Amino acid sequence: MKIKKSEKCDKCMEEYLMLEKGQRVPARLTWHFLTCKECRTNVKLLVKAEKACEQTASQQTDINNQTIQNILKQLNMATVAKKSKRFSMAPWIIGAIVLIASFICYFMMKTSATSKLSIYTYIVFAMIIAAYCAAFIAGNIELFIKKFDFLENI
C-alpha cells in the first residue's frame, strides 16, 4: 500500500515539529524537505516565525510600564500574604499527645504476650514515630530553612 503524498508530508512535518530546538534533523526528513517544495516552504516559514518571536521576546520593556507595575504589586501582595501566614504547632502537639497516649494505653493493656509479638509491636511504634517526624519536617521545611539558615552556606 502506497502512502499518499499529503499523509507522508503530514508525518514528516509532525516529526520535524517534535524535534528539540537545535537538534539535528534526521537525514530522511532532510531528504524529504529537499524534494518536497511545500514542506520546504513550511519549514522556512516556521524558522522565520521563530526568529521573529525571538526578536520580540528579547526587546527590553520599560520598567515604568503600568502593566509591569501592576504585576509587581500583585507579586508583592502575594509575598506579604505568604509571610503573614502564621506557623501553628498546635496540630503537631495534639498529634504527639495522641501518639504518646496510645503507646501508654498499649503498654497498660498489654498482657503476657510473646516476645516476638512485642518486638514487632516496637518496630511498628518506631515506624509510626519516624513517619510522624518525617511528616513534621516535610510539612515545615520552609520554617527550618529560614530559622536555621541552611541555605546560607550554599
Side-chain angles (χ1 to χ4, degrees):
M1 181 172 153
K2 193 156 182 146
I3 298 176
K4 294 180 184 177
K5 183 174 171 40
S6 63
E7 289 177 12
K8 186 175 183 180
C9 290
D10 287 343
K11 285 183 180 181
C12 287
M13 286 304 294
E14 186 175 332
E15 190 174 338
Y16 177 77
L17 292 172
M18 295 294 286
L19 295 173
E20 297 291 327
K21 184 177 179 181
Q23 185 177 355
R24 190 178 68 79
V25 180
R28 186 178 57 77
L29 287 178
T30 304
W31 179 255
H32 177 77
F33 294 149
L34 287 173
T35 58
C36 179
K37 184 177 181 180
E38 184 181 336
C39 289
R40 185 173 54 245
T41 305
N42 287 338
V43 169
K44 285 181 182 178
L45 289 173
L46 286 170
V47 169
K48 283 183 183 179
E50 182 183 9
K51 286 182 181 178
C53 289
E54 284 178 359
Q55 289 173 353
T56 305
S58 66
Q59 292 176 353
Q60 292 289 331
T61 305
D62 183 24
I63 194 70
N64 295 326
N65 188 344
Q66 186 63 32
T67 306
I68 293 178
Q69 293 296 326
N70 290 338
I71 291 171
L72 290 174
K73 284 179 187 176
Q74 288 178 350
L75 287 173
N76 284 339
M77 289 188 305
T79 305
V80 168
K82 207 178 220 185
K83 285 183 180 178
S84 66
K85 185 177 146 183
R86 290 191 43 98
F87 172 72
S88 176
M89 285 289 291
W92 295 103
I93 292 173
I94 293 170
I97 290 171
V98 168
L99 275 176
I100 292 169
S102 65
F103 296 155
I104 291 171
C105 288
Y106 171 77
F107 290 119
M108 290 172 66
M109 299 168 121
K110 184 174 112 173
T111 58
S112 59
T114 63
S115 62
K116 282 186 178 180
L117 184 60
S118 295
I119 291 173
Y120 293 132
T121 307
Y122 297 145
I123 290 173
V124 169
F125 284 160
M127 289 191 308
I128 290 171
I129 292 171
Y132 176 81
C133 293
F136 178 77
I137 292 171
N140 301 302
I141 193 76
E142 190 175 308
L143 171 78
F144 290 112
I145 289 173
K146 287 180 184 176
K147 184 102 170 165
F148 301 112
D149 293 328
F150 285 130
L151 298 177
E152 187 177 276
N153 298 330
I154 295 176

